Amino acid sequence: MKTNDVILQTGTKVVFFIIFLFSIHIFFAGHFAPGGGFVGGLLTTAAIVLLLLAFDLKTVQKALPFNFMIVVAVGLLLALGTAAGSILFDVPFFTHAYDDFNLPLFGVSSLHTAMIFDAGVYLVVVGSTITMIQTIGGDS
Amino acid sequence: MEFVLLIFLPIVAALFVPFLYKTVKNIHTGWFVFIISAALFIYYLRFIEKTLNGNVDTSTLSWIPSLDIAFIAYIDGLSLLFSLLITGIGALVVLYSIFYLDKKREKLNNFYVYLLMFMTAMLGIVQSDHMITLYLFWELTSISSFLLIGYWYTRDRSRFGALKSMMITVFGGLMMLGGLVLLSIMGDTYSIRELIANASSFIGHDYFTLALVLVLLGAFTKSAQFPFYIWLPDAMEAPTPVSAYLHSATMVKAGLYLVARFTPIFASSEVWIWLVTGIGLLTLFWGSFFAVKQTDLKAILAFSTVSQLGLIMSLLGASAVAYHVTGADAAIFKFAAFAAIFHLINHAMFKGSLFMVAGIVDHETGTRDIRKLGGLMSIMPVSFTVAFIGSMSMAGLPPFGGFLSKELFLTSMLALRDFELFNFATWGIIFPIVAWVASVFTFVYSFYFVFKTFAGKRKMQSLPKEPKETSLGMLLSPVVLAAIVVVIFFIPNLIGKMFVKPAVVAMQSGLYNHPDEVTVNVSAWHGWSPELMMTLGIIALGAFLFLTMSKWQKLYDIQPQYFSLNALYDTLMVFGESGMNRLSRFYMTGLIRTYLVYMFAFIAAITTAALFIQDAFAVDMESFSPLNTYGIMTAVILVLAVVMVLFAKTRLAAIIALGGVGYSVALFFVIYKAPDLALTQLVIETVSVALFLLAFHHLPALKRHGESTKFRLGNFIIAAAVGITMTLLALSAHSQKLIPSISQYYKDTVFTEAAGGNIVNVILVDYRGFDTLFEIAVLAIAGIGVYSMIRLRLSRKENSDENK
C-alpha cells in the first residue's frame, strides 16, 4: 500500500527553498558573520535530505540531475585552483587577494578570493555527503 | 704491488669458476683453484725474510674514508704464519679434492666458488688490522662455511649441521662485533695495532671486562670451545676436503688467531687468563674424553680437533701470564706462547692429513663407521702409514712433531703451578693434572683411531665396497703433510726460527723487539725432566686403557641422551620456535578488543607515569572561568545522555542518546560563544544520526542484537583509567600555560589583513586554509570510499558464484 504524504510533499516543496536560501545566505555571510562553506554545504545537504525523505531517490535524481561525484571533483579543483592561482602572481601558495568593486546590480562590494575557495568547500561538502546518503540509501 | 689486493684474489677468481666449469669440460675445475692458492702461497713465502728480522708490512685499500673504514693488510709473524697455513693447506686440500670429488657427479662450480670465498675470508681475518673489516671477513667465513657444510644439500644431516654451525658462529660473531665496537670506543681507533700500543690505558676502563668477554665469545664459538663446540661434530657432514681444510686447519683456528692477536690488549686482566686457560683446558679434557666414545672416523677427528684447539687455547691463556711476571719466571710463560704457535702448526699438519686419510678410507671402503672397519693395513699401506704418523703425532709420541709440542705444553702447564697472582698458587695445581688426564685420553683415541681402522681382523662382509689402495693423486696431499710432521721433529728449531718466533713477537708485542730475543730452544731430548716423566705416565696409562677399552667403553652409555649439550641446543631451538610461537599466540589473540585494551592500558599507564615522574600535575583554580547555570544544566544533560548510551538496552536507544550527546555539545558551543561550531555541530549531528538510522536498518540479526552490553570489570577499569588520566592531563595542561595564545594576532589583523569579520571562517579559509584544503580532500575520499565499498562489491558476487 502506498501512503499518501501530500502534506509532507507540499510542505517540503516550500521548506526546501527556504532552507536552500538560508544555506546560500549562510555561505555568503561566512566571511563576516557565523557561517561559511562548510555549514552552508551541510544545510544544502539537509535540504536535499528532506527532498529524499519526502519523495524517493529516483524523483530526486530526476529533479537534481547531477552526478555528485563530479560535484566533489569540481569543488576540489576550485579549492585547489584558488590556492594555486596565487603562484601565477608570484606570491606564496594560498595567498588570497581582495578588493572593492563597483558592481552594476550590487553597488560597491568587497570581493575576496577566499570566497572562491569557500565555494570549493561548499561543493565538496554537498557532493560527498549526498553521494554517501544516496549510495547508502540506494543499497538494497 | 699493494698486497692488500691479494686478499681478494681468491674471491675474484671465484667469479671465473662457473665459466670454467661450464666451458672447459675436460679439465677438473680444481686445477685452476689449485694454481690460485699455490701462487698465493709462493707469494707469501717472500715475506718470511721480512718477518725474520722483526719487520712488518702494511698495505691499505681505502673503503669508506668518511667513516675511517679501510681494508688494511698487516703482515707480521702471526698473520704471515696463518696466511701460509691458509694458502698452503688450501693448495693441498684443493689438490686432494680434485681426486676426491668426481668431475661429472658433483657440482664443482658451487664447491670451488664457496672454497675460494672462504679463502678470501680467512686471509682477510688474519691480515686485517681494521676491526670492522676483520668482522666483515669473520662473518664471511661463517657464511662460506655454512655453504660448504650444506654442500650436499639434499641430505637432512647436512642442512642440520650447516644451520647449527651458522647459528652458533654467527651468535659469536655478533657478540664479537659488540666487543670490537666497545674496544674502538675505548681506544678511539679501529686499528688493532694502535689499540695494542695504548693497551695500558684501558685497564680499569668501564667497558674493559665487557669487551673482553664479548671478544672471547666470538673466539670461543668460532674455535669450538666448550660449550660451543657442538657445531663441529655436526659439521662433519661436509665433504672431507672441507672438513680437512675448514674444520681442522684454518677456520677453527680463527678464534685462536683472535685470542693471540688480542692478547697484548687483554693480557693485563685476570679474567682473560682464567677464562682462556680454564675454558681451554676444560675443552681439552672434554673433547679428548668424548672422542673415545665416537664410532664415526670423522666424529673422532672432530672431537679430537675440539680437544686440540682447547690445548692451544689454554697455552694462549698461559702466555698472557708473561705480562705479569718479570725476571726468570717470565721466560717460562713466554715459552707458552711459543708452544701454542708450535702446536698450532703441528696440529694443522697432522689433523689435515688425518682428515684426508679418513676421507680416503670412506672413499675406498664406503663407510666411516669404525665398527665395520679393520685390518686395512695390508690393503692400504700408504694410507695406514700416513694415519699412523698423524695419530702418533697427535698422541704426542716421538719421533713426530706432536711429541715436541706436547712436551712444551706440559712444561707450560707445570709452570702455571708456580704463578703467584690471581689465586693461581692455590688452584694452579689443577692445570697440570687436567692436562695430564686429557693427554692420556688423547693417547687412547689416537690409538683407537688408527688401530681400530687399520689393524685387527678384516671384516670384508661388513664393508659396502671392496677396499683397495687409492689413487696416487689423492694420496699426495696427506703424504706431504705427514712428511712435514716428521720433518718438524728433526728440525724444530728451524721451524721455530722461521715461523714461530716472529709469530710470538707479534703475539706478545711489547715484550720483545726482535724475534731473536725469543730464547726458546726445542730439543727432542731434554733430560729427565718432570714433563718426560709425565709423558711416560701417559704412555703407560694410555696403553693400559687402550688395551682394556672394550671393558670400560660402556661407561659412556651411562650418560643419558637428554643430558647433553646437543640436547640443550635442540631444546633451545625448539623452544625458540614453539615457545616464541606460543608467546605470540598468547598476546596476538586476533581480537580487536584485546588490542584496544593493550593500547588504552599503555596510554593510561604511560601518561600517568609521565605526569608523576615529571611532577607535572597541577590545578590552578584561578585559571578557570566562573560557572554559569546554563553550563551546569547542559553538563547534566550531557552526562545523562552519556550514561544512557552506556546502559541503553537497544541500539536505537543508544543512537538517540548519542544524538542527545551531540546536541548538548552544540548547546555548549552556544553557551561558550562559538556560533560557527554550534551551527556545524547541529547540522552534522543531524546528518550523522540520519546516517546511523540508515545503517541501523542494514544491521544483520546478530545474537547480541537488542541486548544490553555486558559488564566487564577489565573494560571498566581501563575506561576509568583512561578517563581519569585524560582529565588529569587536561587539568594540568590548562593550569600551566607557558606562552600566551596566538589568538590576539588574529583579532588584530582579521580585518586589516584578511578583510573579514568572522575570525573562525577567516582562519579556515585564509590564515590556515591549507588544513581546510586537505580536510575537504578527506571528506571527498570518505564519499568515494562509501561509494566504492557499496557499489563495487565484485568479490562478494564472485564468491557467491563459486559457491554454486
Side-chain angles (χ1 to χ4, degrees):
Chain A
M1 192 194 85
K2 198 174 183 328
T3 42
N4 191 355
D5 13 83
V6 68
I7 298 176
L8 175 67
Q9 289 182 350
T10 316
T12 300
K13 280 173 190 163
V14 179
V15 172
F16 170 78
F17 286 103
I18 296 171
I19 302 177
F20 185 64
L21 275 177
F22 181 59
S23 81
I24 298 293
H25 165 73
I26 281 265
F27 166 68
F28 278 111
H31 218 56
F32 281 91
F38 203 81
V39 188
L42 281 175
L43 278 171
T44 309
T45 308
I48 297 173
V49 167
L50 188 62
L51 280 185
L52 284 168
L53 289 175
F55 300 92
D56 61 291
L57 265 177
K58 277 189 184 148
T59 320
V60 174
Q61 259 165 5
K62 227 179 272 169
L64 302 168
F66 310 118
N67 183 346
F68 283 93
M69 302 265 263
I70 290 172
V71 174
V72 173
V74 170
L76 276 177
L77 275 177
L78 213 56
L80 192 63
T82 317
S86 60
I87 296 175
L88 295 177
F89 300 96
D90 205 18
V91 283
F93 188 69
F94 238 114
T95 311
H96 287 300
Y98 57 89
D99 208 347
D100 292 338
F101 294 95
N102 196 353
L103 296 178
L105 208 60
F106 299 97
V108 175
S109 325
S110 166
L111 291 188
H112 199 306
T113 51
M115 220 56 198
I116 309 175
F117 181 75
D118 231 8
V121 175
Y122 175 88
L123 290 179
V124 172
V125 170
V126 172
S128 35
T129 42
I130 295 296
T131 308
M132 283 185 222
I133 289 165
Q134 274 185 345
T135 34
I136 295 175
D139 186 40
S140 52
Chain B
M1 190 175 96
E2 291 285 334
F3 59 83
V4 64
L5 297 175
L6 285 180
I7 292 177
F8 300 99
L9 179 66
I11 207 164
V12 171
L15 293 176
F16 298 100
V17 165
F19 292 112
L20 287 174
Y21 178 71
K22 290 269 156 65
T23 51
V24 189
K25 300 252 186 208
N26 298 329
I27 304 168
H28 197 283
T29 319
W31 288 110
F32 170 68
V33 183
F34 175 73
I35 292 167
I36 300 281
S37 44
L40 277 174
F41 179 71
I42 291 164
Y43 181 83
Y44 285 124
L45 280 178
R46 296 185 357 186
F47 285 95
I48 290 180
E49 207 180 334
K50 217 169 239 171
T51 55
L52 262 184
N53 299 318
N55 293 331
V56 296
D57 216 338
T58 55
S59 163
T60 306
L61 174 68
S62 194
W63 182 23
I64 311 176
S66 57
L67 295 178
D68 191 24
I69 294 178
F71 292 102
I72 303 173
Y74 173 70
I75 291 198
D76 59 2
L78 191 63
S79 42
L80 178 65
L81 171 68
F82 272 92
S83 303
L84 287 173
L85 281 179
I86 292 158
T87 50
I89 294 185
L92 291 175
V93 162
V94 170
L95 186 64
Y96 175 78
S97 71
I98 290 171
F99 298 94
Y100 187 86
L101 294 172
D102 190 84
K103 164 166 86 182
K104 297 213 174 62
R105 270 185 295 131
E106 303 284 357
K107 295 196 185 71
L108 292 179
N109 48 345
N110 290 353
F111 182 79
Y112 287 113
V113 167
Y114 302 157
L115 200 72
L116 285 168
M117 234 167 94
F118 173 78
M119 200 179 280
T120 283
M122 269 318 286
L123 285 175
I125 286 182
V126 299
Q127 293 185 11
S128 281
D129 181 51
H130 194 284
M131 290 195 290
I132 298 299
T133 57
L134 170 71
Y135 172 73
L136 177 84
F137 289 120
W138 187 272
E139 291 300 22
L140 190 57
T141 62
S142 293
I143 292 165
S144 49
S145 155
F146 169 78
L147 291 169
L148 283 166
I149 297 169
Y151 174 64
W152 286 313
Y153 51 79
T154 47
R155 301 182 188 172
D156 273 348
R157 295 290 311 163
S158 297
R159 294 200 304 270
F160 175 77
L163 188 64
K164 192 173 184 178
S165 71
M166 181 82 160
M167 296 294 280
I168 294 177
T169 53
V170 167
F171 161 76
L174 288 172
M175 296 295 121
M176 187 187 83
L177 176 65
L180 296 182
V181 169
L182 287 181
L183 270 178
S184 74
I185 293 170
M186 268 158 53
D188 198 25
T189 173
Y190 286 116
S191 163
I192 298 172
R193 268 175 305 160
E194 287 174 31
L195 283 175
I196 290 174
N198 306 331
S200 53
S201 63
F202 303 146
I203 302 166
H205 195 285
D206 289 347
Y207 295 155
F208 185 71
T209 311
L210 184 60
L212 185 159
V213 172
L214 289 175
V215 168
L216 272 187
L217 267 178
F220 285 171
T221 50
K222 198 67 145 188
S223 276
Q225 298 295 298
F226 185 88
F228 305 112
Y229 72 87
I230 49 171
W231 65 267
L232 189 60
D234 282 310
M236 289 302 130
E237 293 301 321
T240 305
V242 172
S243 310
Y245 188 38
L246 273 68
H247 307 128
S248 72
T250 53
M251 187 180 87
V252 289
K253 298 210 163 74
L256 299 177
Y257 167 80
L258 196 76
V259 170
R261 184 52 91 197
F262 283 87
T263 293
I265 300 175
F266 292 120
S268 57
S269 161
E270 172 188 9
V271 183
W272 175 268
I273 296 174
W274 270 107
L275 268 183
V276 178
T277 319
I279 296 284
L281 272 176
L282 179 59
T283 314
L284 164 65
F285 170 74
W286 194 277
S288 65
F289 184 68
F290 283 101
V292 190
K293 181 192 177 183
Q294 310 303 319
T295 51
D296 179 13
L297 283 185
K298 280 174 83 178
I300 300 175
L301 291 177
F303 275 92
S304 139
T305 304
V306 168
S307 151
Q308 303 278 318
L309 292 170
L311 188 155
I312 301 171
M313 193 63 90
S314 66
L315 280 173
L316 289 174
S319 76
V321 176
Y323 283 85
H324 295 277
V325 286
T326 47
D329 289 353
I332 202 101
F333 291 109
K334 291 173 181 172
F335 209 74
F338 186 92
I341 302 295
F342 192 68
H343 191 67
L344 194 143
I345 300 175
N346 265 327
H347 178 251
M349 300 300 159
F350 68 67
K351 193 51 65 66
S353 70
L354 285 177
F355 266 111
M356 290 176 189
V357 168
I360 291 171
V361 170
D362 187 18
H363 202 260
E364 300 305 326
T365 64
T367 182
R368 294 195 315 246
D369 193 329
I370 202 159
R371 289 167 299 193
K372 293 182 185 166
L373 295 165
L376 296 172
M377 200 189 291
S378 53
I379 303 172
M380 310 167 79
V382 186
S383 310
F384 167 67
T385 314
V386 172
F388 182 76
I389 293 172
S391 302
M392 293 307 110
S393 181
M394 185 157 74
L397 296 180
F400 307 106
F403 171 70
L404 303 172
S405 45
K406 174 69 56 80
E407 297 297 290
L408 294 171
F409 168 62
L410 291 174
T411 314
S412 314
M413 286 300 126
L414 282 171
L416 269 182
R417 240 179 354 174
D418 305 326
F419 180 48
E420 294 293 329
L421 237 51
F422 312 145
N423 296 331
F424 265 85
T426 39
W427 293 101
I429 188 71
I430 292 175
F431 291 93
I433 293 173
V434 174
W436 186 77
V437 175
S439 299
V440 171
F441 278 103
T442 307
F443 184 92
V444 175
Y445 73 67
S446 302
F447 272 65
Y448 174 62
F449 175 79
V450 65
F451 288 113
K452 288 281 188 237
T453 313
F454 290 100
K457 242 187 8 220
R458 214 174 291 170
K459 302 168 190 162
M460 282 306 185
Q461 69 290 348
S462 65
L463 294 180
K465 270 159 96 178
E466 181 72 17
K468 61 171 195 321
E469 185 59 289
T470 186
S471 63
L472 181 65
M474 221 198 271
L475 280 172
L476 200 58
S477 303
V479 167
V480 169
L481 287 174
I484 296 173
V485 172
V486 181
V487 167
I488 287 177
F489 180 79
F490 292 104
I491 51 159
N493 289 318
L494 183 65
I495 302 286
K497 184 171 157 30
M498 279 175 62
F499 301 112
V500 183
K501 285 181 183 175
V504 170
V505 173
M507 223 179 100
Q508 299 197 321
S509 72
L511 298 181
Y512 306 101
N513 295 317
H514 192 273
D516 289 344
E517 290 173 30
V518 185
T519 54
V520 180
N521 200 28
V522 192
S523 57
W525 176 252
H526 41 76
W528 290 105
S529 53
E531 46 268 33
L532 192 66
M533 298 298 176
M534 285 170 85
T535 307
L536 289 179
I538 289 167
I539 295 172
L541 187 61
F544 170 74
L545 280 176
F546 174 66
L547 290 174
T548 57
M549 215 169 114
S550 52
K551 306 232 172 11
W552 57 269
Q553 211 180 9
K554 291 186 196 78
L555 282 177
Y556 284 108
D557 299 332
I558 295 172
Q559 187 208 22
Q561 245 333 295
Y562 59 84
F563 193 68
S564 64
L565 286 167
N566 278 319
L568 180 69
Y569 170 83
D570 292 338
T571 320
L572 270 176
M573 294 308 280
V574 169
F575 178 76
E577 242 170 71
S578 69
M580 290 301 124
N581 237 332
R582 223 177 306 145
L583 185 68
S584 335
R585 244 180 280 135
F586 170 70
Y587 74 88
M588 308 246 311
T589 54
L591 297 172
I592 302 280
R593 179 183 169 271
T594 322
Y595 303 145
L596 286 176
V597 165
Y598 297 153
M599 285 188 243
F600 282 123
F602 270 100
I603 288 170
I606 290 170
T607 316
T608 320
L611 268 180
F612 280 95
I613 290 169
Q614 296 289 329
D615 195 20
F617 181 67
V619 180
D620 180 12
M621 290 296 179
E622 300 292 308
S623 68
F624 296 154
S625 329
L627 288 171
N628 60 31
T629 331
Y630 298 120
I632 295 170
M633 278 162 65
T634 320
V636 169
I637 296 169
L638 181 68
V639 170
L640 284 177
V642 168
V643 171
M644 194 181 156
V645 172
L646 288 178
F647 292 98
K649 290 241 185 282
T650 61
R651 279 187 180 142
L652 196 59
I655 290 169
I656 291 165
L658 205 59
V661 172
Y663 287 129
S664 44
V665 169
L667 266 181
F668 264 123
F669 287 142
V670 172
I671 293 165
Y672 289 104
K673 302 186 184 73
D676 292 271
L677 291 185
L679 263 175
T680 316
Q681 175 69 24
L682 273 174
V683 185
I684 206 88
E685 194 59 42
T686 313
V687 173
S688 58
V689 168
L691 279 175
F692 262 127
L693 291 172
L694 266 177
F696 180 77
H697 273 294
H698 294 276
L699 284 176
L702 289 176
K703 234 192 283 176
R704 273 187 52 197
H705 184 76
E707 288 173 22
S708 66
T709 41
K710 264 183 273 169
F711 180 76
R712 281 207 179 95
L713 186 66
N715 287 8
F716 174 75
I717 291 171
I718 299 238
V722 171
I724 292 166
T725 311
M726 288 305 138
T727 312
L728 291 181
L729 195 65
L731 282 177
S732 7
H734 186 265
S735 305
Q736 309 174 70
K737 282 188 176 146
L738 295 180
I739 46 169
S741 166
I742 194 175
S743 53
Q744 191 56 45
Y745 170 78
Y746 292 141
K747 278 183 203 161
D748 295 343
T749 60
V750 65
F751 190 75
T752 54
E753 296 278 328
N758 179 356
I759 296 185
V760 175
N761 200 46
V762 170
I763 289 175
L764 283 179
V765 299
D766 199 343
Y767 291 121
R768 306 190 55 180
F770 231 128
D771 295 355
T772 313
L773 184 60
F774 291 102
E775 272 157 27
I776 58 174
V778 167
L779 200 58
I781 291 166
I784 294 165
V786 169
Y787 182 84
S788 43
M789 275 196 293
I790 290 178
R791 290 287 166 86
L792 310 173
R793 281 179 296 192
L794 289 174
S795 57
R796 198 199 279 178
K797 278 174 197 159
E798 276 167 13
N799 282 346
S800 60
D801 284 345
E802 267 173 27
N803 290 340
K804 287 170 194 169

